[in-house]
């Protein structure tokens, strides 16, 4: 099983716009497009609650509150239990699923996301959970840098933030020399 991919589904969920069912459908990759066609209104409410709770896990991790991150992940693991099963379409396509056959879309997606994030925390620690330092963004990310120094969710946010800081310093220097 690719636990990193499951952990990234948690990141994708926290960063998703869940204003309506179309927003929720946008969460599913091409590989999971079948989920988008099976979601119902009830799933939207479940995803929204899980999104908030997973954001809390990232915020706990980025502020050094490991015990709270672990407690929330344990509660989420209970709410969305992993029930592994082997699945496949032919003998050459065997792979693992994290829920029982017939599980709802929310149960299937969230069990994997929570399980992946829990494995990530155990392997790398919650200090590797990040919230983008760009005030205009707020997206979460998993810090895969070699020295755990990442501060932004993307290069775009890092550049935008650095340019804004540079311009602010130039403006301050100009105001100081003029005044």
């Amino acid at each position: 099983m690719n636990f990193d991919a499951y952990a990234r589904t948690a990141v994708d969920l926290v960063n998703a716009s869940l204003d309506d069912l179309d927003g929720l459908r946008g969460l599913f990759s091409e590989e999971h497009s079948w989920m988008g066609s099976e979601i119902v209104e009830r799933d939207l409410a479940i995803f929204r609650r899980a999104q908030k709770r997973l954001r809390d896990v990232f915020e706990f991790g980025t502020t050094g509150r490991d015990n709270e991150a672990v407690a929330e992940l344990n509660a989420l693991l209970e709410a969305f239990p992993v029930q592994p099963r082997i699945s496949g379409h032919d003998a050459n396509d065997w792979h693992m699923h994290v829920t029982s056959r017939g599980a709802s879309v929310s149960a299937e997606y969230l069990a994997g996301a929570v399980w992946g994030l829990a494995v990530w925390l155990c392997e790398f620690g919650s200090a590797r959970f990040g919230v983008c330092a760009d005030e205009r963004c707020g997206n979460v990310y998993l810090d895969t840098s070699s020295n755990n120094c990442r501060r932004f969710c993307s290069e775009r946010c890092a550049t935008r933030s650095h340019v804004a800081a540079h311009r602010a310093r130039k403006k301050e220097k100009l105001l100081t020399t003029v005044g």
Side-chain angles (χ1 to χ4, degrees):
M1 291 182 81
N2 184 346
F3 294 113
D4 284 353
Y6 279 116
R8 290 185 206 302
T9 62
V11 170
D12 293 343
L13 172 58
V14 175
N15 294 337
S17 172
L18 298 181
D19 296 330
D20 53 25
L21 281 175
D22 285 336
L24 179 55
R25 284 186 188 99
L27 175 64
F28 305 112
S29 65
E30 196 173 300
E31 178 184 343
H32 296 105
S33 61
W34 65 269
M35 289 180 165
S37 63
E38 292 187 16
I39 58 171
V40 294
E41 193 70 36
R42 185 175 66 85
D43 287 317
L44 184 57
I46 294 168
F47 272 93
R48 283 178 178 155
R49 283 192 300 274
Q51 181 185 51
K52 193 239 178 277
R53 293 178 72 184
L54 287 168
R55 176 170 287 285
D56 289 346
V57 169
F58 276 88
E59 290 179 3
F60 294 148
T62 59
T63 56
R65 297 182 297 175
D66 288 3
N67 289 338
E68 291 171 79
V70 167
E72 187 61 30
L73 278 172
N74 279 333
L76 285 162
L77 285 167
E78 286 182 32
F80 303 102
V82 175
Q83 300 170 335
R85 68 180 169 89
I86 300 171
S87 180
H89 308 289
D90 61 45
N92 297 322
D93 185 35
W94 298 120
H95 57 277
M96 295 296 294
H97 280 259
V98 294
T99 58
S100 62
R101 179 171 242 149
S104 69
V105 170
S106 54
E108 177 129 2
Y109 187 96
L110 295 170
V114 171
W115 178 253
L117 205 55
V119 169
W120 182 276
L121 181 137
C122 291
E123 191 165 330
F124 303 109
S126 69
R128 293 286 183 157
F129 296 169
V131 178
C132 188
D134 186 337
E135 300 153 358
R136 295 162 289 190
C137 179
N139 280 345
V140 301
Y141 60 89
L142 297 169
D143 186 350
T144 57
S145 66
S146 59
N147 58 356
N148 194 25
C149 65
R150 188 168 164 190
R151 295 182 38 236
F152 299 95
C153 70
S154 66
E155 283 296 319
R156 180 175 176 241
C157 280
T159 300
R160 184 174 57 203
S161 184
H162 292 139
V163 167
H166 174 74
R167 288 180 179 155
R169 285 190 305 272
K170 270 180 77 172
K171 184 178 180 181
E172 181 64 31
K173 184 178 179 182
L174 180 64
L175 293 174
T176 314
T177 57
V178 172

